[in-house]
Amino acid sequence: MFWEVVINLFENFLVTLELFALTLLFALPLGLIISFGSMSRFKPLSFLVKVFVWVIRGTPLMLQLILFYFGPGLLVTVAEQANYNNFFIDFMRDLNMADPLVTAVIAFSINYACYFSEIFRGGIQGVPKGQQEAGEVLGLTKTQIFFKVTLLQMIKRIVPPMSNEIITLVKDTSLARTITVYEIIWSAQDYIRNDGLLWPLFFTGVYFLAFSGILTLLFNYIEKKLSYFKV
Amino acid sequence: MPLLEVKNIKKNFGKTEVLKGISFSLSEGEVISIIGSSGSGKTTLLRCLNFLETPDKGTISVNDEVLFDGENIKNLKENKIRENRLHFGLVFQSFNLFPQYNVLDNVTLAPKLLKKGTNEEIENNARALIEKVGLLEKIDSYPCQLSGGQQQRVAIARALAMNPDILCFDEPTSALDPELTGEVLRVIKGLKESGSTMIVVTHEMEFAKNVSDKIIFMADGVIEEMGTPEQIFENPQSEKTRHFLQNSLEKL
């Protein structure tokens, strides 16, 4: 019984990992784009982006998940009653029919992209202007300066806050349970419902601990690799 | 024929006129020191010469080639600006070494990226320059392992590696502890002896007096007075110059 539970939980932990990996995959580039938006010299754009980041960071992720889960269905119903249709409504219809994991990935990606964007912004703006200027007076191109001078300094600056955020993401994935993503917590709760077993729920902590442990080691390794210089 | 010819450079930041028409010239092998109180426009002038700022008016020519013409700002393309910059080197007040590279790589980075020779040539040249500033034993060290004075000497070697016509210094010793200024000033003095053309913005009056061929005293965005060290320090004509020198000497 024990091993059966352990293996079954592991299979559902893979769903957790899938959500984790896909969120990172989309949220990292999206976060970079949002950070550029918030740093834009075009004021209306940077204002809009900042308001967006404020709303996303200022409301619970669980609320956003529920909105993305029920919102498309509601919109489609209202649109159908009004006999209204366009590509957006079609998209909402698809989303409504999609696997809840897809909905979760979208909500998580947007949410985490906003947090990442602030970290990126800090990393980019934290590199002293003098570094860029030193490259400029030596005649380097903007691209050379970015890749050969500032990039590594940015990475060094963002590793500690990023590792924090990414480890939080590991545990936040369990929120996807609220929109019926059958991840590890939910599968553990099934043991309570069906078999009256409580321990599998607590045992899920082992998986979270193990995975965040691996990530911690990985980030420590990166930090150590970058410790040969100071910024 | 002057190596550098600066004519009527003007620069505003918003409504503040920082440079109100600066003209001077510099011959090969000459050293000019620019002195003056903070806010007089010294640093802005250097930054204009290095194209970190774009002047609003005026011309900058090197070797009779007009690098910048205020009448023609819109035609100044990114590539042209980069080419122009290669005539000048700049040593910053805060060194601005690249922290992730060791001393050798700091010096070789730009020549290698801009393909100024084979890797071997570039590295040999860099070694010679690092030796010139007296840091050969630190060649593998990272900036965070060096003192301020050592970092500034590396910054000088880094600027020299691009072989600029004119080397500019923006208060090279202002960020240093007093006991470390000597080693940097000695290096600059050594460069003068080997014939480098230099413009030094400095608060070190004694150094300016000893090393310069010409002194420019700036006040409120204009050249208040220009002349040989003897003229400026022994026999200043302008009331502002006298006042400034008096204050600077009082501090001593």
Side-chain angles (χ1 to χ4, degrees), chain B residues 11 13 18-19 41-49 53:
Chain B
K11 176 71 187 171
F13 288 122
V18 183
L19 299 177
K42 310 180 300 280
T43 295
T44 308
L45 176 60
L46 272 200
R47 291 173 61 85
C48 284
L49 291 178
E53 307 285 352

Side-chain angles (χ1 to χ4, degrees), chain A residues 166-230:
Chain A
I166 288 173
I167 285 170
T168 306
L169 171 62
V170 177
K171 295 160 294 162
D172 270 1
T173 51
S174 58
L175 283 173
R177 183 214 163 287
T178 48
I179 60 164
T180 73
V181 174
Y182 199 72
E183 44 70 72
I184 186 167
I185 298 274
W186 202 8
S187 68
Q189 281 177 320
D190 271 355
Y191 284 103
I192 303 176
R193 268 193 293 271
N194 302 338
D195 309 280
L197 282 179
L198 192 55
W199 70 265
L201 183 59
F202 294 114
F203 193 78
T204 59
V206 174
Y207 289 94
F208 284 106
L209 268 181
F211 188 55
S212 51
I214 292 169
L215 288 178
T216 305
L217 290 177
L218 176 70
F219 286 120
N220 285 350
Y221 173 77
I222 296 173
E223 269 184 58
K224 204 165 173 206
K225 271 273 164 194
L226 293 174
S227 67
Y228 69 92
F229 72 94
K230 289 200 180 81

Side-chain angles (χ1 to χ4, degrees), chain B residues 29-52:
Chain B
E30 256 188 335
V31 177
I32 287 190
S33 287
I34 305 179
I35 59 173
S37 38
S38 312
S40 57
K42 310 180 300 280
T43 295
T44 308
L45 176 60
L46 272 200
R47 291 173 61 85
C48 284
L49 291 178
N50 285 277
F51 300 93
L52 291 175

Side-chain angles (χ1 to χ4, degrees), chain A residues 23-65:
Chain A
T23 300
L24 271 191
L25 181 70
F26 294 117
L28 286 170
L30 186 60
L32 198 59
I33 294 169
I34 293 174
S35 77
F36 287 142
S38 71
M39 288 185 292
S40 168
R41 262 174 282 181
F42 183 58
K43 291 287 168 207
L45 176 66
S46 77
F47 178 76
L48 273 180
V49 170
K50 278 176 183 161
V51 169
F52 181 72
V53 171
W54 170 60
V55 170
I56 296 291
R57 292 203 308 170
T59 55
L61 174 55
M62 191 190 277
L63 208 57
Q64 293 161 22
L65 276 168

Side-chain angles (χ1 to χ4, degrees), chain A residues 129-131 133-142 144 147-153 228-231, chain B residues 47 50 52 78 82 85-86 88 90 92 96-101 109-110 113-114 142 144 158-159 162:
Chain A
K129 192 91 177 58
Q131 289 292 309
E133 290 182 348
E136 284 176 357
V137 296
L138 289 167
L140 303 184
T141 66
K142 287 212 161 97
Q144 287 170 334
F147 284 106
K148 296 291 182 176
V149 177
T150 40
L151 182 63
L152 195 61
Q153 297 181 43
Y228 69 92
F229 72 94
K230 289 200 180 81
V231 291
Chain B
R47 291 173 61 85
N50 285 277
L52 291 175
E78 180 76 28
R82 283 200 301 112
R85 280 184 179 134
L86 295 178
F88 297 89
L90 178 61
F92 297 86
N96 296 344
L97 290 183
F98 305 132
Q100 71 267 43
Y101 296 117
L109 180 74
L113 286 176
L114 300 175
Y142 286 88
C144 61
R158 181 177 68 174
M162 288 305 289

Side-chain angles (χ1 to χ4, degrees), chain B residues 238-249:
Chain B
S238 143
E239 186 54 43
K240 280 184 184 165
T241 318
R242 269 200 291 273
H243 192 73
F244 172 76
L245 289 174
Q246 218 162 30
N247 280 346
S248 312
L249 294 175

